């Protein structure tokens, strides 16, 4: 049994709307799983469904064997799943430190210790702890968003396109931070447009096309597959 098991997930934005048309997806404890595929394939919809922001129409979402489909986002967060959306994932006018406090709202008592850990993990956030989040660089904002997610001490971190809009250097730094989070034993499911980079740090990956599973397997095997290179990885 995996940490997360999604089976036959059908979900969309209204009752009749099937954006996901029966998706299977799994994450084992401690692994990094990439999710790639064209725009509109349903990658974000998959993460939103797992995080509890969308009610699944059909299918199962299980965390450590327990059905979580349709539970409130706050409950799912308490059960150890942190979700970092692609956009509006920080509070721009609040300081870096206040953002981290917001990230830890489900367990305010443990905040001080966990903010200390976040500052150890991301020294640049410690340096800028009193700065308004809107003054951070793109890469620093994504680090802050990830640090906010980590405030709930998740077993599973869901990242939606963390490197979107970053320079190659900033993206590389961010991927290093993601690899460091994995080293601490936290599983990560990561949607990425930077498919080559995502496959290079992922253990396994899924390719979604039009709301369905297209291919999945070890990331290295997918990255080496000539058809996948041609269609999804730009040759
Ligand atoms: N808030 C929304 N309301 C209605 N339809 C949406 C919404 N968000 C996404 N969709 C639709 O769902 C489909 C999949 O979107 P999404 O999961 O965001 O794709 P991806 O992340 O793979 O680019 C698209 O057709 C998109 O138009
Ligand atoms: Mg998306």
């Amino acid at each position: 049994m995996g940490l997360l098991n999604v089976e036959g997930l059908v979900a969309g934005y209204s009752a009749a709307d099937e954006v996901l048309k029966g998706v299977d997806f799994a994450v084992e404890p401690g692994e990094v799983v990439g999710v790639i595929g064209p725009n509109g394939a349903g990658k974000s919809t998959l993460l939103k469904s797992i995080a509890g922001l969308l009610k699944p129409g059909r299918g199962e979402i299980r965390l450590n064997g327990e059905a979580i489909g349709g539970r409130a986002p706050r409950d799912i967060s308490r059960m150890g799943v942190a979700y970092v959306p692609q956009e509006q994932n920080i509070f721009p006018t609040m300081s870096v430190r206040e953002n981290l406090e917001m990230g830890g709202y489900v367990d305010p008592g443990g905040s001080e210790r966990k903010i200390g850990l976040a500052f150890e993990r991301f020294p640049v956030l410690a340096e800028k702890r009193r700065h308004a989040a809107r003054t951070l660089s793109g890469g620093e904002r994504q680090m802050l968003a990830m640090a906010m997610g980590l405030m709930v001490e998740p077993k599973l971190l869901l990242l939606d396109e963390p490197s979107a809009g970053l320079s190659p250097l900033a993206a590389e730094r961010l991927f290093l931070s993601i690899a460091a989070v994995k080293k601490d034993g936290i599983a990560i499911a990561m949607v990425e447009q930077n498919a080559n980079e995502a496959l290079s740090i992922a253990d396994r990956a899924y390719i979604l096309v039009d709301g369905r599973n297209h291919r999945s397997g070890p990331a290295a095997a997918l990255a080496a597959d000539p058809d996948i290179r041609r269609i999804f990885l730009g040759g």
Side-chain angles (χ1 to χ4, degrees):
M1 182 191 70
L3 170 63
L4 177 77
N5 285 91
V6 174
E7 276 170 31
L9 180 64
V10 175
Y13 294 85
S14 63
D17 184 27
E18 296 191 355
V19 169
L20 302 180
K21 303 167 175 115
V23 168
D24 298 330
F25 182 72
V27 181
E28 303 296 326
E31 76 174 345
V32 175
V33 177
V35 182
I36 63 177
N39 258 335
K43 306 179 297 295
S44 296
T45 303
L46 174 62
L47 294 194
K48 285 185 230 169
S49 303
I50 297 166
L53 299 171
L54 284 174
K55 267 197 200 322
R58 292 195 301 281
E60 284 278 345
I61 306 175
R62 277 177 284 124
L63 187 70
N64 287 316
E66 193 175 339
I68 60 166
R71 290 210 198 173
R74 174 189 282 248
D75 294 338
I76 292 172
S77 161
R78 281 212 185 87
M79 292 171 79
V81 179
Y83 166 63
V84 181
Q86 182 181 342
E87 282 168 339
Q88 297 177 335
N89 53 19
I90 56 167
F91 299 96
T93 61
M94 295 170 77
S95 72
V96 165
R97 203 197 138 81
E98 287 163 344
N99 269 273
L100 292 172
E101 285 166 7
M102 295 301 286
Y105 78 100
V106 294
D107 171 25
S111 250
E112 282 307 313
R113 177 181 61 83
K114 287 184 279 191
I115 288 173
L117 291 173
F119 286 158
E120 275 173 39
R121 189 191 288 283
F122 302 103
V124 65
L125 298 183
E127 260 169 56
K128 299 190 171 178
R129 68 184 80 197
R130 287 184 195 86
H131 298 216
R134 69 180 144 72
T135 67
L136 300 179
S137 71
E140 289 163 356
R141 283 185 204 202
Q142 287 301 328
M143 282 182 195
L144 177 58
M146 195 156 69
M148 287 169 71
L150 292 170
M151 287 294 288
V152 304
E153 302 193 311
K155 298 183 197 73
L156 173 61
L157 182 63
L158 308 172
L159 300 176
D160 198 348
E161 299 208 20
S163 79
L166 299 187
S167 70
L169 181 62
E172 195 182 311
R173 285 208 192 105
L174 190 74
F175 285 127
L176 286 175
S177 310
I178 293 170
V181 170
K182 173 200 157 83
K183 276 218 178 72
D184 288 347
I186 298 167
I188 298 162
M190 176 178 65
V191 170
E192 258 302 333
Q193 284 294 327
N194 265 326
N196 282 298
E197 287 75 5
L199 292 181
S200 73
I201 69 159
D203 299 299
R204 288 188 309 115
Y206 291 78
I207 303 178
L208 295 189
V209 176
D210 192 23
R212 296 179 204 278
N213 290 82
H214 179 74
R215 288 281 298 276
S216 59
L222 294 176
D225 183 299
D227 285 337
I228 291 175
R229 294 206 64 76
R230 186 168 48 81
I231 302 170
F232 298 104
L233 304 178

